[in-house]
């Protein structure tokens, strides 16, 4: 399912599959002062994640997938049986120290009963659901 148009500045409720190039094409804004750096940080993060766990599931959310011109970071929720928050923090900081503040990450085991991606669907401070992107390798 392609990424649909935004409604009131956010994705309609649902999970939308997209590869990196589609994600950037839909949410890039040429006049943004932050999106180019966020695109690079996201690419580095997912490349690192998939380099050690090709089956990791990566969800993208936050102001990065809204109409906001200059989001400050990208939120990702990752299901992986190899990575956790600590391992990723160490590896990402070693490989891309200047990009650490640009990625907010949450890791969970593939079969965990805790569903971070469900928390990603809630518009902060409201009872409204929004869409998220499942990034394809």
């Amino acid at each position: 399912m392609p990424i649909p148009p935004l409604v009131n500045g956010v994705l309609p409720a649902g999970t939308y599959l997209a590869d990196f190039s589609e994600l950037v094409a839909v949410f890039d804004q040429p006049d943004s002062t932050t999106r180019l750096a966020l695109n690079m940080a996201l690419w580095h993060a997912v490349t690192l994640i998939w380099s050690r766990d090709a089956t990791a599931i990566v969800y993208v959310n936050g102001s990065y997938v809204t109409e906001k011109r200059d989001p400050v970071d990208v939120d990702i929720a990752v299901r992986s049986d190899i990575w956790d928050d600590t391992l990723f923090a160490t590896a990402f900081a070693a490989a891309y120290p200047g990009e650490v503040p640009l990625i907010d990450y949450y890791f969970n085991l593939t079969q965990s009963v805790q569903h971070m991606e469900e928390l990603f669907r809630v518009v902060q401070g409201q009872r409204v659901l929004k869409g998220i992107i499942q990034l394809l390798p």
Side-chain angles (χ1 to χ4, degrees), residues 12-137:
T15 301
Y16 304 99
L17 305 177
D19 63 21
F20 184 77
S21 61
E22 181 182 4
L23 181 72
V24 170
V26 170
F27 292 102
D28 194 33
Q29 297 183 27
D31 59 341
S32 174
T33 61
T34 61
R35 286 191 179 268
L36 183 60
L38 294 176
N39 293 343
M40 188 63 68
L42 178 58
W43 176 254
H44 289 151
V46 297
T47 300
L48 179 63
I49 291 164
W50 287 327
S51 74
R52 295 189 192 169
D53 185 356
T55 64
I57 302 169
V58 179
Y59 298 97
V60 182
N61 187 28
S63 58
Y64 179 83
V65 294
T66 68
E67 66 184 7
K68 187 172 183 177
R69 187 183 77 178
D70 294 313
V72 297
D73 61 16
V74 180
D75 297 342
I76 60 173
V78 182
R79 287 196 166 272
S80 172
D81 293 328
I82 295 173
W83 290 99
D84 62 27
D85 289 350
T86 304
L87 288 172
F88 179 77
T90 302
F92 193 67
Y96 308 102
E99 296 179 354
V100 169
L102 303 180
I103 302 290
D104 277 341
Y105 49 86
Y106 312 91
F107 285 81
N108 213 334
L109 296 173
T110 303
Q111 299 301 319
S112 173
V113 295
Q114 179 185 12
H115 295 284
M116 301 170 301
E117 59 274 15
E118 294 303 321
L119 298 175
F120 262 28
R121 296 179 200 285
V122 179
V123 175
Q124 194 171 18
Q126 301 178 28
R127 293 185 179 188
V128 178
L129 296 181
K130 61 183 175 178
I132 60 174
I133 303 293
Q134 181 179 336
L135 203 54
L136 300 172

